[in-house]
């Protein structure tokens, strides 16, 4: 059952939804979160509480346990409140915006009934596994192989840097099912906890997003029923391209919310901290830096809102996603770095808002397509 007090099922009002997200996070998640950060792993209760309050499967149909909110602004609001509460974000993005949306869009009726209710309730945790030790951004060069053997596939290979890799009960992996030209013959399979031949490495130690567990996954003649094939065989790369705009938009939402959060925190700090008998925010150099950041962050907000509007209309392209993901994540890194400098020694402390944001920001220009790969996409779109 969902937590009745939050009444998430009847949200058509964005302000009410935001208020309930904020109250829920402060009451149920924030008191435990520091412990999870130190352990490098959120407890299962984290997912169960999110599910009980309707924060998982936002866009999934109520038929399968979701809220059925197709307006992407609901997902953005949740991201913003997670950032403000300093709660780990990547795992929720992977679970909600990637895996649940993949299954809801591509899964058959049986798969939706089998997996989505438990993903929406938090009884199962989801992960997406594409990156391999030999490469990340180029999904066309996948080396993990799945060979058809009667009514199942035999999967061999490995994945790395997988968000939710330790907690995940359902992992959508990209495998090669047919040899051919680069980018062809890729399929999506759902790996479930306990399948023979599936093992995990020890949790990987990151420099940021410590509460979001990350792991290596190994497949040694892993037997996967053919009923766990998502979509059609050999069309995985097409599915990636179709789903990529949503994933990159979600990362951009994290970037803008993070930049706004650290900038607001820094403005408050520089108005109080003094040096040479004046507040550090009153020095001309610092004022100009903050004026520039304030302007750029406001531009990013307008850019994000416009992109969400295009996404809601079905007009948000792969190139649009590359542009906003590249620009907002690079801006997030810039804001985090400048603001840490303005905090001085305090900013270098791991537990400070400035320090945490700086560490968390560094991954943003890497996952979901590196800045370099995104600029390749953009340059090709303008005929270069």
């Amino acid at each position: 059952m969902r937590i009745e007090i939050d009444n998430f099922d009847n949200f058509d009002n964005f302000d009410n939804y935001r208020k309930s997200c904020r109250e829920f996070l402060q009451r149920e998640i924030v008191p435990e979160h520091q412990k999870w950060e130190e352990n490098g792993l959120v407890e299962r209760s984290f997912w169960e509480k999110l599910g009980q309050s309707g924060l998982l499967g936002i866009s999934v149909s109520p038929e399968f346990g979701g809220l059925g909110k197709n307006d992407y602004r609901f997902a953005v609001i949740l991201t913003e409140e997670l950032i403000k509460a300093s709660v780990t974000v990547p795992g929720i993005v992977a679970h909600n915006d990637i895996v649940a949306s993949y299954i809801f869009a591509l899964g058959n009726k049986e798969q939706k009934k089998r997996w989505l209710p438990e993903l929406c309730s938090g009884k199962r945790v989801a992960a997406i596994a594409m990156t391999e030790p030999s490469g990340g951004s180029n999904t066309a060069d996948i080396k993990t192989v799945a060979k058809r053997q009667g009514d199942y596939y035999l999967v061999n290979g490995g994945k790395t840097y997988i968000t939710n890799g330790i907690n995940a009960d359902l992992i959508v992996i990209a495998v090669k099912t047919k040899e051919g030209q680069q980018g062809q013959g890729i399929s999506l399979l759902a790996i479930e906890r306990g399948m023979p031949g599936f093992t995990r490495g020890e949790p990987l130690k990151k420099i940021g997003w410590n509460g979001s567990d990350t792991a290596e996954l190994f497949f040694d003649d892993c037997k996967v029923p053919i009923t766990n094939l998502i979509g059609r065989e050999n069309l995985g790369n097409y599915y990636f391209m179709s789903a990529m705009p949503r994933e990159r938009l979600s990362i951009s939402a994290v970037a803008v919310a993070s930049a706004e959060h650290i900038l607001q925190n820094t403005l408050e700090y520089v108005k109080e901290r003094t040096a040479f008998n004046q507040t550090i925010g009153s020095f001309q150099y610092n004022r100009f830096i903050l004026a520039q950041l304030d302007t750029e962050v406001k531009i990013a907000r307008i850019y994000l809102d416009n992109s969400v509007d295009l996404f809601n209309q079905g007009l948000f392209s792969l190139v649009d996603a590359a542009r906003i993901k590249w620009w907002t994540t690079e801006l997030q890194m810039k804001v985090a770095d400048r603001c840490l400098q303005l905090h001085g020694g305090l900013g270098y402390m791991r537990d400070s808002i400035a320090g945490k944001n700086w560490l968390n920001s560094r991954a943003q220009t890497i996952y979901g397509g590196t800045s370099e790969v995104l600029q390749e996409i953009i340059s090709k779109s303008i005929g270069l």
Side-chain angles (χ1 to χ4, degrees):
M1 291 180 61
R2 293 192 175 162
I3 298 175
E4 295 293 335
I5 190 171
D6 290 306
N7 195 25
F8 278 97
D9 290 322
N10 300 311
F11 279 117
D12 293 314
N13 183 301
F14 296 116
D15 290 336
N16 287 344
Y17 181 74
R18 182 183 298 280
K19 180 174 181 290
S20 292
C21 286
R22 185 175 300 169
E23 291 176 351
F24 166 76
L25 292 170
Q26 290 297 327
R27 183 180 67 247
E28 300 289 343
I29 304 301
V30 171
E32 303 291 329
H33 196 264
Q34 182 58 37
K35 177 179 65 177
W36 298 338
E37 284 270 302
E38 293 170 357
N39 293 338
L41 183 73
V42 298
E43 294 178 1
R44 299 292 298 200
S45 60
F46 170 80
W47 294 101
E48 292 165 3
K49 289 176 179 178
L50 287 172
Q52 289 169 353
S53 289
L55 297 181
L56 300 178
I58 297 172
S59 63
V60 172
S61 168
E63 177 186 0
F64 304 111
L67 288 183
K69 302 298 184 184
N70 293 320
D71 191 322
Y72 197 72
R73 285 175 290 182
F74 283 101
V76 172
I77 288 170
L78 174 58
T79 293
E80 291 167 354
E81 294 307 315
L82 288 165
I83 293 294
K84 290 176 184 176
S86 297
V87 173
T88 188
V89 176
I92 298 174
V93 168
H95 183 105
N96 263 356
D97 281 338
I98 304 177
V99 178
S101 63
Y102 264 126
I103 294 171
F104 186 56
L106 303 173
N108 57 42
K109 195 68 174 283
E110 185 276 330
Q111 290 172 335
K112 292 177 183 179
K113 287 182 176 180
R114 180 156 45 119
W115 294 323
L116 286 176
E118 290 192 334
L119 292 182
C120 292
S121 68
K123 292 180 180 178
R124 283 203 199 208
V125 179
I128 182 81
M130 292 189 287
T131 302
E132 298 185 346
S134 61
S137 295
N138 185 9
T139 57
D141 197 30
I142 286 171
K143 293 181 172 56
T144 298
V145 175
K147 292 185 177 181
R148 181 79 175 265
Q149 301 282 342
D151 60 354
Y152 60 86
Y153 291 96
L154 274 183
V155 179
N156 285 281
K159 303 291 181 176
T160 192
Y161 312 133
I162 305 306
T163 299
N164 293 340
I166 297 296
N167 263 330
D169 307 292
L170 182 72
I171 305 168
V172 175
I173 71 166
V175 296
K176 181 170 286 189
T177 45
K178 181 181 179 181
E179 294 294 335
Q181 294 181 357
Q182 191 178 48
Q184 296 181 351
I186 303 299
S187 301
L188 301 180
L189 294 179
I191 305 291
E192 299 181 71
R193 182 182 290 276
M195 282 185 168
F198 167 43
T199 56
R200 312 170 202 244
E202 293 296 314
L204 298 174
K205 296 180 180 180
K206 308 185 299 296
I207 62 172
W209 294 126
N210 292 313
S212 180
D213 60 290
T214 306
E216 292 180 291
L217 311 178
F218 305 102
F219 309 101
D220 184 10
D221 281 342
C222 178
K223 295 180 67 173
V224 183
I226 59 172
T227 53
N228 280 31
L229 172 69
I230 298 176
R232 294 173 58 185
E233 193 174 81
N234 302 322
L235 291 183
N237 223 36
Y238 168 76
Y239 297 144
F240 292 147
M241 295 303 102
S242 300
M244 199 61 75
R246 183 187 184 108
E247 179 182 354
R248 288 173 176 163
L249 184 59
S250 68
I251 296 171
S252 302
V254 173
V256 175
S258 298
E260 290 174 337
H261 179 56
I262 184 58
L263 180 59
Q264 181 59 40
N265 175 264
T266 301
L267 287 171
E268 294 171 1
Y269 180 76
V270 299
K271 292 174 184 177
E272 296 178 357
R273 182 79 163 102
T274 60
F276 302 100
N277 299 317
Q278 65 183 95
T279 60
I280 60 175
S282 65
F283 288 94
Q284 185 185 66
Y285 179 81
N286 293 344
R287 292 202 314 270
F288 285 6
I289 287 290
L290 290 165
Q292 293 166 20
L293 296 180
D294 177 72
T295 302
E296 291 180 84
V297 169
K298 283 181 169 57
I299 291 170
R301 169 54 63 181
I302 295 169
Y303 192 4
L304 177 65
D305 289 347
N306 177 254
S307 296
V308 170
D309 185 51
L310 290 173
F311 181 83
N312 282 339
Q313 297 178 60
L315 301 175
F316 188 65
S317 72
L318 190 64
V319 177
D320 292 331
R323 288 192 181 105
I324 190 171
K325 197 271 181 182
W326 166 70
W327 195 80
T328 58
T329 57
E330 290 289 341
L331 175 62
Q332 179 188 352
M333 278 207 333
K334 176 181 176 181
V335 172
D337 190 69
R338 301 292 191 276
C339 288
L340 185 147
Q341 183 71 22
L342 288 167
H343 277 79
L346 174 63
Y348 199 63
M349 298 298 103
R350 184 180 294 270
D351 290 335
S352 70
I353 293 176
K356 283 184 177 180
N357 199 285
W358 186 73
L359 289 168
N360 293 343
S361 296
R362 195 61 193 87
Q364 287 279 94
T365 61
I366 299 173
Y367 53 35
T370 65
S371 290
E372 293 75 20
V373 168
L374 298 179
Q375 289 175 87
E376 286 287 341
I377 294 171
I378 297 165
S379 64
K380 289 177 182 177
S381 76
I382 57 177
L384 300 176

